Amino acid sequence: MPSPLQWHEAPLNQRIGLLRCGAPADWIRLMETRTGLTRAELCELLGLKVSTVNRKLQNRTRLSPDETERLMGLQRLIGLVEAVVRDCGDGSPFDAGAWLAHWLERPNHALGGQSPAGFMDTADGREHLSRLIGAQRSGAYL
């Protein structure tokens, strides 16, 4: 199985298997570090209950398939940001997780002035954000 931070690059059957069985709750901690968000901020962003996440962390259990899909949706967006930067060929150090966390909070013209964070709690919303990030490859402004 790929590391939690590269799961989006895994073969489809592995990703689906992980989503069905649920990711280890410890992956929440990795995402906190990756984005610089607190647990409360991360849970709010993803529409998760902090008390449920804390209980699963304490008991070392797995996230539900829905919780996993939300967490992995955030990682997929980070991976897309990394790919856009990599495709630009700059080569300078870049913290995609921190950039994404900041981008999610800023009002966005392409979203009618709403912040992208308001779209993170649904699969359709995350898909729309993926398209916005992908538009960077063509030089479109986010």
Side-chain angles (χ1 to χ4, degrees):
M1 179 177 294
S3 82
L5 300 180
Q6 281 81 34
W7 87 277
H8 61 281
E9 297 174 346
L12 179 62
N13 63 338
Q14 287 183 5
R15 292 193 318 263
I16 290 173
L18 174 64
L19 290 168
R20 286 180 177 155
C21 73
D26 284 344
W27 286 19
I28 291 283
R29 288 188 179 110
L30 294 170
M31 195 58 68
E32 291 168 358
T33 301
R34 181 82 165 131
T35 61
L37 296 172
T38 66
R39 183 163 308 144
E41 292 168 332
L42 182 62
C43 287
E44 181 179 350
L45 177 67
L46 299 177
L48 305 176
K49 294 185 179 187
V50 176
S51 59
T52 301
V53 168
N54 285 339
R55 186 183 73 252
K56 290 182 178 192
L57 284 165
Q58 182 178 356
N59 296 334
R60 297 182 181 187
T61 57
R62 291 187 167 273
L63 300 173
S64 71
D66 178 62
E67 293 162 339
T68 299
E69 198 276 331
R70 291 170 186 237
L71 183 67
M72 296 300 99
L74 178 59
Q75 176 54 38
R76 180 180 295 119
L77 292 177
I78 293 170
L80 286 170
V81 170
E82 289 172 337
V84 168
V85 171
R86 186 175 50 243
D87 291 351
C88 291
D90 184 339
S92 60
F94 181 77
D95 187 343
W99 182 89
L100 182 69
H102 182 70
W103 179 78
L104 287 169
E105 295 303 321
R106 294 185 312 225
N108 189 300
H109 181 70
L111 299 172
Q114 297 180 61
S115 70
F119 292 78
M120 287 296 296
D121 63 338
T122 66
D124 283 350
R126 289 185 297 275
E127 178 61 31
H128 187 68
L129 297 179
S130 293
R131 286 191 297 273
L132 286 178
I133 292 169
Q136 283 291 301
R137 285 191 168 120
S138 66
Y141 176 74
L142 292 180

